[in-house]
Amino acid sequence: MTSPQPISLHVNGERVDAYVLPRTNLADFLREHLKLTGTHVGCEHGVCGACTIRLNGEIVRSCLMLAIQAHETQVETIEGLSDSGEISDLQAAFRERNALQCGYCTPAMLITAQDLLARESAPSREQIREHLSGNYCRCTGYQAIVDAVEATATARQGNKGRAP
Ligand code: FES
Ligand code: FES
């Protein structure tokens, strides 16, 4: 099977119908076919985490999946999370705490951090480090990233406690 195959999926809430070669990986499909270039590609073999996206609500490495495997799924990329405002506080915390330098790891780092905060509202620094351990950053030394995630968790906890 080497000819383009039809796939249908939802990407950031919008239906996408496309033809893809069976060997095309999901990261390349998002970047090259859909021009969603916030999904970065580093190692292309599942190590660096730069290609992290959400698929049916779970974070996955899009370099390890074929686009054809995403047929009939819900994909969310950094563009979707950013446009919806879901992570605006986390993005602001990253800026304020200098948790990014070149920014190459940042989209995936934000998606992974948001995944943790959705599961654990008050994670310890150890839990934050553990959850982000599959995402490599070659610039920051991680301290500032952990600070930003911790600060976001604390702020969200405070907001929850406030009267509407
Ligand atoms: S590019 Fe996918 S894990 Fe590195
Ligand atoms: S900010 Fe450069 S790789 Fe993380």
Side-chain angles (χ1 to χ4, degrees):
M1 190 169 69
T2 55
S3 55
Q5 302 294 312
I7 59 170
S8 297
L9 64 161
H10 281 84
V11 180
N12 298 328
E14 287 186 22
R15 186 183 162 98
V16 172
D17 299 301
Y19 279 84
V20 294
L21 288 170
R23 66 170 180 271
T24 303
N25 74 35
L26 182 55
D28 288 344
F29 174 69
L30 293 170
R31 289 177 54 80
E32 290 163 21
H33 290 240
L34 304 185
K35 307 299 176 201
L36 294 169
T37 53
T39 299
H40 291 162
V41 171
C43 66
E44 290 190 82
H45 61 272
V47 176
C48 74
C51 63
T52 303
I53 58 154
R54 271 201 313 223
L55 184 117
N56 292 339
E58 299 289 332
I59 54 172
V60 299
R61 280 150 158 55
S62 58
C63 75
L64 292 185
M65 279 191 67
L66 296 170
I68 208 165
Q69 292 176 296
H71 180 55
E72 292 184 346
T73 63
Q74 304 275 344
V75 166
E76 292 165 279
T77 67
I78 190 64
E79 289 86 352
L81 269 68
S82 188
D83 289 351
S84 71
E86 176 183 338
I87 55 167
S88 55
D89 54 350
L90 193 54
Q91 289 170 305
F94 267 59
R95 277 195 301 274
E96 283 157 17
R97 302 206 168 234
N98 297 319
L100 65 148
Q101 287 174 26
C102 79
Y104 202 79
C105 70
T106 309
M109 204 64 90
L110 289 164
I111 292 177
T112 307
Q114 176 67 359
D115 180 69
L116 171 64
L117 295 176
R119 294 163 196 273
E120 175 62 62
S121 57
S124 66
R125 290 182 73 83
E126 199 46 47
Q127 284 175 303
I128 296 169
R129 283 190 178 278
E130 173 67 28
H131 203 80
L132 297 179
S133 63
N135 290 69
Y136 290 3
C137 177
R138 296 187 185 279
C139 304
T140 66
Y142 302 99
Q143 193 72 17
I145 294 173
V146 176
D147 290 347
V149 177
E150 187 179 41
T152 304
T154 304
R156 287 186 186 179
Q157 285 281 94
N159 288 341
K160 252 193 240 162
R162 252 179 235 149

